Amino acid sequence: MLDSLARLPLSVQTFGLLTLSNIFMTYAWYGHLKSLADRPWWVAALISWGIALFEYLLQVPANRIGYAGGFSLAQLKIAQEVITLSVFIPFAVFAMGQPLKLDYLWAGLCLVGAVYFIFRS
């Protein structure tokens, strides 16, 4: 499997792993608000830490692959923020039942600007 991953383009490896890691992290950070609402906070924290372990097992290699492959630290961080919003909005709407807001669009457009400026050179 790792051999198959290594054959993918660098950007797919980096941003694909960052996307997967962010899915885990979003559930670790916010999923307990709905699914474990009736449990003590420390139970939610322990379960979230367990989920976050999988996030780190994807995020650390993603950043190492991207950085070694020529992405700058700033590019990796801005890309992570875009991925975070891209994962968070569907999570908030579909998993948590939050209303879709126009503010998500404005935040996304600001991040598009950030991506443009950080990747233009």
Side-chain angles (χ1 to χ4, degrees):
M1 180 173 158
L2 290 177
D3 188 45
S4 299
L5 179 64
R7 291 187 209 153
L8 294 172
L10 179 74
S11 59
V12 173
Q13 291 178 51
T14 301
F15 302 125
L17 286 170
L18 285 175
T19 299
L20 291 172
S21 76
N22 205 279
I23 291 168
F24 279 103
M25 203 65 207
T26 300
Y27 274 93
W29 284 357
Y30 304 110
H32 63 86
L33 297 174
K34 187 173 183 179
S35 63
L36 299 172
D38 59 337
R39 301 283 178 90
W41 72 265
W42 59 269
V43 171
L46 290 173
I47 291 170
S48 292
W49 285 342
I51 295 169
L53 171 65
F54 294 103
E55 184 268 343
Y56 280 102
L57 292 174
L58 297 167
Q59 181 268 344
V60 170
N63 281 325
R64 292 176 67 95
I65 290 166
Y67 193 72
F71 289 112
S72 71
L73 186 62
Q75 288 173 329
L76 290 168
K77 181 58 182 168
I78 295 297
Q80 178 62 42
E81 295 305 324
V82 171
I83 291 166
T84 297
L85 189 60
S86 300
V87 168
F88 178 77
I89 292 171
F91 173 82
V93 173
F94 298 113
M96 299 298 287
Q98 299 293 304
L100 186 60
K101 296 182 177 184
L102 194 56
D103 289 343
Y104 296 151
L105 173 65
W106 305 134
L109 289 175
C110 289
L111 287 173
V112 167
V115 168
Y116 168 76
F117 287 112
I118 209 69
F119 280 92
R120 72 179 173 157
S121 53

